[in-house]
Amino acid sequence: MKITTFDPMIATSNADDVIKVFEELGFEKSHTPITDIGDMIYQTIRMKHKDGYHVDVADVDDLPKDSTCIRMNVDDFDEAYGILTKHGFKNEMSDRIVNTSHSKEARMVSPSGFTIQLIEHIRKD
């Protein structure tokens, strides 16, 4: 399994405010995909700094407070999911895996409480 992305992600219902902070720190918007998981639609704003740093801001309606996690994109979702569950991580949505036309995802919570948003992008040739 290969990790292709590993960076912080902030889920917030105040995306414009969060984006402004990171823009003032030198980050620029580089990609803004919209994800529809059936019961929720959200947009993720990928931001890149000229020195190679990244942060993602997930614009999610009606969150009581912001949350942060690590976004980890991999080339083999099932292998990564197995490694995380072997180490006690639990899928935040029970056993639900989000499958869309462009990705396979799960929000995994460690036994100590930190979170990894596990993602495999589906490449269309």
Side-chain angles (χ1 to χ4, degrees), residues 81-111:
Y81 190 92
I83 290 169
L84 293 175
T85 55
K86 181 176 84 174
H87 288 279
F89 281 74
K90 302 286 185 204
N91 184 331
E92 191 174 74
M93 298 188 306
S94 297
D95 288 327
R96 182 176 174 203
I97 306 296
V98 175
N99 283 295
T100 69
S101 62
H102 64 276
S103 68
K104 189 173 183 179
E105 304 182 27
R107 191 168 172 99
M108 306 295 290
V109 181
S110 76

Side-chain angles (χ1 to χ4, degrees), residues 1-7 71-76 80:
M1 175 205 60
K2 179 180 175 187
I3 296 173
T4 58
T5 302
F6 195 87
D7 53 51
R71 172 184 165 165
M72 184 170 73
N73 289 21
V74 296
D75 68 348
D76 187 331

Side-chain angles (χ1 to χ4, degrees), residues 15-96:
D16 290 339
D17 294 339
V18 173
I19 289 166
K20 286 178 188 174
V21 170
F22 284 96
E23 285 176 334
E24 287 190 37
L25 291 169
F27 287 79
E28 296 179 354
K29 294 179 191 175
S30 64
H31 186 57
T32 57
I34 295 175
T35 303
D36 182 349
I37 63 171
D39 56 349
M40 178 176 30
I41 297 173
Y42 63 92
Q43 182 174 32
T44 303
I45 298 86
R46 179 115 171 112
M47 301 187 76
K48 184 177 182 178
H49 191 274
K50 65 179 174 67
D51 293 326
Y53 307 112
H54 293 90
V55 64
D56 297 327
V57 180
D59 188 2
V60 182
D61 290 335
D62 301 323
L63 282 181
K65 65 179 187 171
D66 293 355
S67 67
T68 57
C69 67
I70 299 166
R71 172 184 165 165
M72 184 170 73
N73 289 21
V74 296
D75 68 348
D76 187 331
F77 179 91
D78 295 329
E79 182 180 1
Y81 190 92
I83 290 169
L84 293 175
T85 55
K86 181 176 84 174
H87 288 279
F89 281 74
K90 302 286 185 204
N91 184 331
E92 191 174 74
M93 298 188 306
S94 297
D95 288 327
R96 182 176 174 203

